[in-house]
Amino acid sequence: MGEPRQEFERELDAIEGKVIQLFAMVGEDLNEATRALLAGDGEMFAILVERDQEIDALYLEVEGLVQREILLQAPVASDLRFLLSVLRITPELERSHDLIVQIAASAGNAPAGALSPSGLTMLTRMGQLAAEMWGQTSDCWYQRDPSTAGRLATEDQEMDNLHASLHAELAAGGMPVPAIMELTLVTRFYERLGAHAVNVARRVIYLAGPARD
């Protein structure tokens, strides 16, 4: 293997490392935002805003590195699939973190404890399910496992059902209008997080490619 190829592979490994870092930050911050929401902790928002700036910077760095390698190396086959896949999933990761920040922003304004027992159970499950889906999506990317997309589609249906059920409960009233509006937005944020997780997993089908190049 020549030195140019070795250098190219080092660059690909560096990009992969940064993508995995993005996955880890999304997963960690999703758990923190949900914890803050259920606890009514409004202080987490400021922390996650700072983290969002880090993610935005990392996202732009990765995008720049990928574009540079495509321009300089004119990659083909599996290398090109990897670089194109990165370009397609990193916006999903960046947007997902924006949603996580919005959940944290609602923590001090959305009184989860004022929900009915069934409503609180549904909201808690949405947070758990979103975390589970993103954990599976991260593993899916790392392991290049295209079969995960099908499983996530089933879980995304559960998320959609929870979203519809909790939305219906909120629409029935029983809470102050500002709280209803805030919690309605939160359920939408979780629903979108599930959709982004599925989208990323579907990209891995393309990344995995055929059995042989």
Side-chain angles (χ1 to χ4, degrees), residues 171-205:
M175 297 174 62
V177 172
I180 291 173
M181 293 176 63
E182 199 76 41
L183 286 167
T184 298
L185 286 174
V186 167
T187 64
R188 177 60 175 168
F189 298 150
Y190 279 122
E191 186 272 333
R192 293 311 306 156
L193 280 165
H196 283 305
V198 172
N199 289 343
V200 172
R202 286 175 176 162
R203 295 295 184 188
V204 176
I205 297 174

Side-chain angles (χ1 to χ4, degrees), residues 3 30 44 66 97 101 110 129 140 145 154 157 159 177 195 197:
E3 179 59 30
L30 174 54
M44 182 55 62
V66 170
H97 199 269
V101 172
L129 186 58
C140 169
D145 180 8
T154 300
Q157 185 59 58
M159 181 70 82
V177 172

Side-chain angles (χ1 to χ4, degrees), residues 76-79 81 146 205-213:
V76 296
S78 60
D79 294 334
R81 282 200 306 273
I205 297 174
Y206 169 76
L207 174 60
R212 294 182 178 180
D213 277 333

Side-chain angles (χ1 to χ4, degrees), residues 71-92:
L71 179 64
L72 295 180
Q73 301 293 338
V76 296
S78 60
D79 294 334
L80 180 59
R81 282 200 306 273
F82 169 71
L83 292 171
L84 291 178
S85 296
V86 170
L87 282 180
R88 289 165 178 161
I89 72 158
T90 48
E92 302 268 6

Side-chain angles (χ1 to χ4, degrees), residues 24-34 48 51 55 97 100:
M25 294 173 77
V26 168
E28 178 182 340
D29 291 353
L30 174 54
N31 285 324
E32 288 298 323
T34 297
L48 292 188
R51 288 269 285 185
I55 282 186
H97 199 269
I100 290 167

Side-chain angles (χ1 to χ4, degrees), residues 112-126 162 165-166 169-170:
L115 285 165
S116 69
S118 63
L120 183 57
T121 296
M122 286 189 284
L123 182 63
T124 301
R125 177 56 184 158
M126 291 185 84
L162 287 165
S165 297
L166 187 50
E169 176 167 321
L170 290 168

Side-chain angles (χ1 to χ4, degrees), residues 95-107:
R95 290 170 194 149
S96 293
H97 199 269
D98 288 344
L99 293 170
I100 290 167
V101 172
Q102 290 302 314
I103 291 172
S106 297

Side-chain angles (χ1 to χ4, degrees), residues 125 129 132 153-163:
R125 177 56 184 158
L129 186 58
E132 290 169 9
T154 300
E155 295 187 352
D156 193 45
Q157 185 59 58
E158 180 186 353
M159 181 70 82
D160 290 345
N161 293 340
L162 287 165
H163 173 240

